[in-house]
Amino acid sequence: MRNKLLRGIPASPGIVIAKAIPYKEEELLILTRKPDEISEEITKFENALQKTRREIQLIQSDFMKKTDEYHARILDAQLLVLDDTTLIKNTIDIIKRNESAESAFKKVADSILNAFDRVEDEYLRARISDIRDVAGRVLRNLIVQPHTLFPATKHAVVAQDLTPSDTAGFSKDRVVGFATDLGGTTSHTAIMARALEIPAVVGLNEVTKFVDRGDEIIIDGNRGVVVIDPDESTRRAYEDKLKKFQEYEKELEALSNLPCETLDGQSIELSCNIEITEEIDAAISHGAKGIGLMRTEFIYLKSDKLPTEEEQYEVYNLLAQKVHPDSLIIRTLDLGGDKIPSPHQIKEVNPSLGWRAIRFSLSEKSVFMTQLKAILRASRRGNVKIMFPMIVDLSELKLAKSYVEEAKSELKNSGIDYDPDIEIGAMIETPGAALIARAIAEEVDFLSIGSNDLIQYTLACDRTNPRVAHLFNPFHPAILRLIKRTIEAGHSARKWVGICGELGANPLAVPILLGLGIDELSVATVSILEIKKIIRALSIEEAKTIAREVMALETLEEVESFVKGIEEKVLVIKEVMSLSR
């Protein structure tokens, strides 16, 4: 299909033009057979688990040589699946009912995969590929069916989905990019693609429907675009983009060790947001000044049990050590009560407005105290900060702070070290919080604007709802006024103010935020160098002029028109947007 263009989710940056190899997981042929003695079937199953473990460990070892230990540890998740006591017990129970090992294991694995398929949470759904990968390997080892190998020639892989071990097995000399129907940015496959620096687009829905073996394909991992069988004009255009992008990457890399300051010498703290621990090495190599937002939800979602203090401490301590002496700002749990293992687990009609974040933590004190003590233990180097999400009232903030003091007392009584002066911050992510930001600022050491929720709650629109997503506009005058109000409130209380929502990574928003006086921008790793490039090309006076002009506008239409003009006025923004978006 000539020049067929598909849009998906950009999973790993870069552009590649290559011949496509469709990859289809071979169907496993599970023949009905009369089982051997029960003890023999159990032994077959246990041997298959052991063989699968050795395979994954070998892949992990090879992947470590290609990347680093940190990314190779992603495959630990698969090794944990092999140790799952429920999976093992249920399989053996079915074998004891006189079924073959492969038939019993397939029933159990299908049951688990079906359960995950019904989960709405994006992070949990992204773990499906790990379980499917392990299940496939165990079944192949039970029925002695070899895994499909990729060809030895240089090519781009097109697949419905790829497993983490498939991706870990890629050789950059052969697989130069991949495009998949399924997947998201937090899947282990996407993370591994970024670690290998292979351009990738996922979530294309139907790319496999249009690609035949040997078709030429363009994968644009910057924009989440795939072009199948490009015509000569499109091909030349992308060759030109590829050349410019490669030059642009070299230019950006040179910025990683330069200070993040404006033309007139004002320093801006530029840190990163991380979703999972595997992102930290890339953030550091891109020159992030610490972590401005560490989301802790993944620790709670990766198991059906609440994480222990020790388990949490290990994660926080590792990250604090990695970024020291820069800061690690840990946001306490920001999930709804419907997603947390709890005796009081409830289903809510509107969880975004319900029992979530600090509301959940304050009412589930033992869960909250466990997290606070783990954070405090990791703070002994003096670079950890605590941040509370969804604060809308001073009473919540004061109660949360009292729990921090209680956690300190417990640690002190146990003779455990912590930072007694640990800084505490509050997120401003509702209109209510923005309106009382001055009072909140008096109670904390810093404020951080969560722009995603602030927009959602202020404009009353769910950006994931396609019928109202167009209303989710970060440049709405109401949003800009609430941000201005929050920054002024923080500064009047002599506290620093940052932003950790996606607005901070929007090139068009950077001059406005600087002009309004923002002290810190915390953005996704992939945006760090671009945002630094923009900051270094602006002066504060220029940014203040832009902010003053935009704040004088009354309507969304006027602001949108003005913001479009920023791209033309500020050449560095035009350059960044043309090369990377």
Side-chain angles (χ1 to χ4, degrees):
M1 188 169 292
R2 196 71 167 165
N3 242 23
K4 176 74 177 174
L5 187 146
L6 297 173
R7 293 186 186 280
I9 300 168
S12 182
I15 298 170
V16 66
I17 304 171
K19 296 292 183 186
I21 300 291
Y23 170 72
K24 186 177 180 183
E25 182 75 18
E26 75 275 27
E27 190 173 344
L28 294 171
L29 195 58
I30 311 294
L31 297 175
T32 303
R33 67 174 172 86
K34 185 180 177 184
D36 297 327
E37 291 294 324
I38 288 176
S39 60
E40 289 182 30
E41 293 293 337
I42 292 175
T43 301
K44 281 181 189 173
F45 172 55
E46 291 171 342
N47 288 342
L49 291 179
Q50 287 177 15
K51 186 175 181 185
T52 304
R53 175 177 294 279
R54 288 195 295 273
E55 288 175 353
I56 294 173
Q57 287 171 335
L58 182 60
I59 293 168
Q60 191 174 41
S61 172
D62 289 342
F63 191 61
M64 195 182 303
K65 292 172 188 168
K66 286 186 274 187
T67 58
D68 52 55
E69 180 182 355
Y70 215 73
H71 287 97
R73 294 291 297 272
I74 288 174
L75 290 166
D76 283 350
Q78 300 205 349
L79 295 173
L80 286 175
V81 174
L82 291 171
D83 290 333
D84 188 284
T85 53
T86 304
L87 180 144
I88 295 170
K89 178 180 180 303
N90 290 351
T91 301
I92 291 176
D93 284 348
I94 296 176
I95 290 173
K96 288 178 177 174
R97 295 201 291 268
N98 206 29
E99 287 208 33
S100 66
E102 58 270 26
S103 172
F105 179 74
K106 188 171 188 312
K107 281 183 180 176
V108 175
D110 285 349
S111 168
I112 294 172
L113 287 168
N114 289 337
F116 267 79
D117 208 31
R118 293 193 294 272
V119 172
E120 292 180 1
D121 183 88
E122 183 186 354
Y123 180 84
L124 279 180
R125 285 182 60 82
R127 305 283 78 79
I128 290 178
S129 60
D130 286 292
I131 299 170
R132 186 178 290 120
D133 193 2
V134 174
R137 285 186 177 277
V138 173
L139 279 173
R140 278 187 208 94
N141 288 329
L142 279 167
I143 62 177
V144 197
Q145 183 170 324
H147 198 282
T148 296
L149 298 175
F150 290 103
T153 53
K154 192 171 279 193
H155 59 278
V157 171
V158 174
Q160 185 185 33
D161 198 5
L162 288 169
T163 65
S165 66
D166 283 336
T167 314
F170 285 167
S171 162
K172 287 176 68 174
D173 295 333
R174 297 175 185 173
V175 179
V176 294
F178 70 78
T180 61
D181 291 339
L182 306 175
T185 53
T186 61
S187 69
H188 282 165
T189 298
I191 293 166
M192 288 175 150
R194 291 193 286 273
L196 288 167
E197 298 180 348
I198 294 174
V201 179
V202 300
L204 286 154
N205 294 321
E206 51 183 7
V207 65
T208 52
K209 180 178 169 186
F210 299 105
V211 176
D212 292 321
R213 189 181 184 90
D215 281 350
E216 188 168 71
I217 184 172
I218 296 170
I219 297 175
D220 183 347
N222 300 327
R223 298 168 181 79
V225 168
V226 165
V227 183
I228 302 161
D229 193 16
D231 60 22
E232 192 54 33
S233 169
T234 303
R235 193 180 203 286
R236 279 202 301 272
Y238 265 93
E239 285 173 342
D240 187 46
K241 277 186 183 180
L242 176 57
K243 185 179 175 186
K244 287 179 179 173
F245 180 71
Q246 289 168 338
E247 292 169 353
Y248 176 63
E249 276 193 317
K250 285 182 185 172
E251 183 190 340
L252 287 180
E253 283 171 14
L255 295 174
S256 61
N257 293 320
L258 296 179
C260 183
E261 59 184 25
T262 59
L263 281 176
D264 39 4
Q266 179 160 329
S267 291
I268 303 294
E269 197 85 355
L270 182 59
S271 52
C272 72
N273 303 335
I274 66 167
E275 189 96 29
I276 50 179
T277 51
E278 288 86 350
E279 296 174 274
I280 186 61
D281 284 350
I284 292 171
S285 70
H286 280 70
K289 191 74 174 170
I291 299 171
L293 168 64
M294 178 199 172
R295 300 182 175 96
T296 56
E297 292 71 58
F298 76 95
I299 301 173
Y300 292 79
L301 292 173
K302 67 182 183 182
S303 170
D304 58 357
K305 296 177 183 172
L306 285 169
T308 65
E309 180 184 316
E310 193 62 27
E311 288 169 338
Q312 294 188 61
Y313 163 73
E314 286 179 7
V315 175
Y316 305 148
N317 187 51
L318 174 70
L319 293 176
Q321 190 175 9
K322 284 253 181 187
V323 301
H324 188 269
D326 294 327
S327 295
L328 165 63
I329 300 179
I330 301 176
R331 183 179 71 184
T332 57
L333 184 60
D334 189 17
L335 277 176
D338 59 324
K339 296 189 176 67
I340 300 293
S342 160
H344 309 300
Q345 196 174 64
I346 59 169
K347 274 286 177 191
E348 296 182 294
V349 175
N350 193 343
S352 295
L353 300 178
W355 192 46
R356 55 166 289 202
I358 199 67
R359 301 168 185 179
F360 173 86
S361 294
L362 293 178
S363 58
E364 293 287 302
K365 184 178 175 183
S366 63
V367 177
F368 194 32
M369 289 291 286
T370 299
Q371 183 173 35
L372 290 176
K373 284 189 284 186
I375 295 172
L376 285 167
R377 285 174 59 192
S379 72
R380 64 184 186 280
R381 295 179 188 83
N383 66 327
V384 173
K385 298 176 172 63
I386 299 174
M387 184 160 68
F388 298 129
M390 279 289 283
I391 292 288
V392 295
D393 187 74
L394 284 181
S395 61
E396 295 173 327
L397 184 53
K398 289 179 179 178
L399 184 57
K401 286 173 62 182
S402 75
Y403 287 166
V404 173
E405 292 306 313
E406 195 174 327
K408 285 181 181 177
S409 295
E410 289 186 20
L411 293 178
K412 187 176 181 181
N413 292 337
S414 301
I416 298 173
D417 286 343
Y418 61 90
D419 176 10
D421 301 316
I422 188 169
E423 289 189 19
I424 293 176
M427 291 196 69
I428 302 298
E429 48 193 339
T430 67
L435 290 171
I436 61 166
R438 173 59 196 264
I440 292 174
E442 294 288 355
E443 289 288 331
V444 295
D445 299 296
F446 64 92
L447 300 176
S448 186
I449 299 168
S451 60
N452 301 345
D453 274 344
L454 183 62
I455 297 166
Q456 169 172 269
Y457 291 129
T458 303
L459 304 181
C461 65
D462 177 358
R463 63 178 170 161
T464 65
N465 182 338
R467 293 182 177 174
V468 297
H470 64 283
L471 299 174
F472 190 92
N473 193 316
F475 295 107
H476 192 289
I479 303 301
L480 298 181
R481 281 162 174 70
L482 289 174
I483 290 174
K484 179 174 185 285
R485 185 186 182 97
T486 301
I487 295 172
E488 289 175 347
H491 288 175
S492 66
R494 299 180 181 277
K495 308 295 167 60
W496 65 265
V497 183
I499 185 166
C500 58
E502 289 179 16
L503 186 59
N506 186 326
L508 294 170
V510 173
I512 298 173
L513 294 169
L514 293 188
L516 292 176
I518 201 82
D519 302 294
E520 180 235 24
L521 296 168
S522 187
V523 302
T525 298
V526 72
S527 301
I528 289 172
L529 292 175
E530 285 181 353
I531 299 304
K532 184 187 277 191
K533 180 181 174 71
I534 293 170
I535 290 171
R536 287 178 57 83
L538 287 168
S539 72
I540 285 296
E541 284 310 310
E542 183 183 9
K544 282 183 177 175
T545 300
I546 290 172
R548 198 162 44 241
E549 290 177 7
V550 77
M551 294 308 296
L553 303 174
E554 294 290 338
T555 69
L556 176 58
E557 187 178 14
E558 288 172 340
V559 174
E560 284 186 318
S561 174
F562 180 86
V563 168
K564 283 179 185 170
I566 292 176
E567 187 175 345
E568 295 301 322
K569 284 182 191 172
V570 186
L571 292 181
V572 66
I573 294 179
K574 186 175 185 178
E575 180 191 358
V576 166
M577 296 192 68
S578 67
L579 286 169
S580 64
R581 309 204 172 221

